[in-house]
């Protein structure tokens, strides 16, 4: 049987849940298997003590000071977007703005999130674009619906059938980025200000404190 859910609509109650009483509402009911979907083991999906530990480690990364350090990276992406739009205006009568902004979003995510010089705006063969678009294109369109059905009925077949949320190629790509940042010598990444590098630095500081 499907589990009942409560939808909160009162703004004051929503504010209390999201701010004042947020530590009491840490679970989101997402059934995630670490061995099957490692990339999905993030703060929005994990529960209980794991969530509290990860949130505690991530909170210092999103302070105003740390976010300001990423601002120059965003400006670089903005400048690249401006040049790309100038080129399109000169050569085309119409511009597919959704495609353009999708490229811009990937550029910002790759640069600020993972420290990549991906040039997703100009470079049609950007590795980040190929991985993300390829993973989306190759994923079975019926798979999310199947997973949702199995989760709602409580059947333990997701692991048995190995119904991954994220394609293997996407998993491998992003895990490789994180491992690469973690394995890189500290002096080579001293000037990086992306989110993954902040996480790696926090892990190194924690290990040094032990």
């Amino acid at each position: 049987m499907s589990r009942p859910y409560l939808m909160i609509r009162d703004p004051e109650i929503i504010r209390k849940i999201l701010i004042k009483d947020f530590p009491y509402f840490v679970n989101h009911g997402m059934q995630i298997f670490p061995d099957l979907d490692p990339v999905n083991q993030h703060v929005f999906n994990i529960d209980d003590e794991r969530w509290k530990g990860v949130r505690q480690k991530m909170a210092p990364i999103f302070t105003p000071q740390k976010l300001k350090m990423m601002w120059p990276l965003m400006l670089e992406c903005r400048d690249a977007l401006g040049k790309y739009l100038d080129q399109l205006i000169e050569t085309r009568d119409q511009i597919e703005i959704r495609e353009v902004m999708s490229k811009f979003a990937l550029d910002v995510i790759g640069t600020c999130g993972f420290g990549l010089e991906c040039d997703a705006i100009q470079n049609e063969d950007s590795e980040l674009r190929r991985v993300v678009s390829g993973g989306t294109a190759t994923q079975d369109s019926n798979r999310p619906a199947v997973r949702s059905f199995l989760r709602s009925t409580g059947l333990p077949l997701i692991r048995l059938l190995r119904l991954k949320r994220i394609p293997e190629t996407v998993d491998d790509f992003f895990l490789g980025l994180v491992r690469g940042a973690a394995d890189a010598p500290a002096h080579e990444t001293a000037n990086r200000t992306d989110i993954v590098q902040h996480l790696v630095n926090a892990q190194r500081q924690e290990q040094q404190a032990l």
Side-chain angles (χ1 to χ4, degrees):
M1 296 295 292
S2 178
R3 294 175 57 186
Y5 288 89
L6 175 65
M7 178 180 291
I8 306 298
R9 301 176 61 183
D10 185 282
E12 289 301 320
I13 298 178
I14 293 174
R15 186 177 294 109
K16 287 190 64 177
I17 291 174
L18 294 179
I19 301 175
K20 183 178 179 180
D21 296 329
F22 191 68
Y24 300 102
F25 296 91
V26 299
N27 297 344
H28 302 92
M30 303 295 291
Q31 189 177 18
I32 302 296
F33 300 109
D35 59 326
L36 190 59
D37 282 306
V39 172
N40 259 326
Q41 300 299 299
H42 51 70
V43 71
F44 296 107
N45 283 341
I46 55 179
D47 297 331
D48 301 320
E49 294 303 318
R50 286 192 64 207
W51 176 87
K52 292 180 180 178
V54 171
R55 184 175 183 271
Q56 185 177 14
K57 293 177 181 179
M58 292 190 67
I61 296 172
F62 293 94
T63 60
Q65 181 181 4
K66 292 288 179 63
L67 293 177
K68 285 180 181 178
M69 294 172 67
M70 299 179 201
W71 183 243
L73 301 178
M74 295 184 184
L75 292 181
E76 292 178 7
C77 297
R78 179 207 62 182
D79 294 341
L81 175 64
K83 293 178 181 178
Y84 182 62
L85 286 173
D86 289 340
Q87 294 173 6
L88 292 181
I89 292 171
E90 292 178 359
T91 58
R92 299 184 186 180
D93 295 329
Q94 295 181 341
I95 298 175
E96 181 57 56
I97 197 65
R98 179 178 179 181
E99 179 184 353
V100 172
M101 297 312 296
S102 175
K103 294 177 179 179
F104 174 67
L106 275 180
D107 217 25
V108 172
I109 292 170
T111 303
C112 298
F114 299 94
L116 295 175
E117 295 181 3
C118 52
D119 191 22
I121 296 176
Q122 292 277 6
N123 185 6
E124 296 291 337
D125 294 324
S126 165
E127 186 176 12
L128 181 60
R129 286 189 62 192
R130 285 192 287 105
V131 169
V132 173
S133 60
T136 304
T138 57
Q139 190 171 22
D140 185 352
S141 60
N142 294 322
R143 184 164 294 189
V146 173
R147 283 188 62 100
S148 178
F149 169 75
L150 293 178
R151 192 182 305 112
S152 66
T153 56
L155 298 177
L157 293 179
I158 294 178
R159 184 193 293 274
L160 179 64
L161 299 177
R162 299 196 64 79
L163 296 176
K164 293 174 61 66
R165 284 176 173 269
I166 299 176
E168 195 79 33
T169 53
V170 179
D171 261 348
D172 292 342
F173 176 75
F174 286 106
L175 288 175
L177 290 178
V178 175
R179 292 190 183 109
D183 294 339
H187 68 273
E188 293 184 4
T189 58
N191 296 324
R192 282 181 49 175
T193 57
D194 54 274
I195 292 176
V196 167
Q197 190 58 47
H198 284 316
L199 288 171
V200 171
N201 293 341
Q203 183 185 42
R204 288 172 178 169
Q205 292 173 2
E206 182 178 321
Q207 291 173 346
Q208 292 173 358
L210 295 178

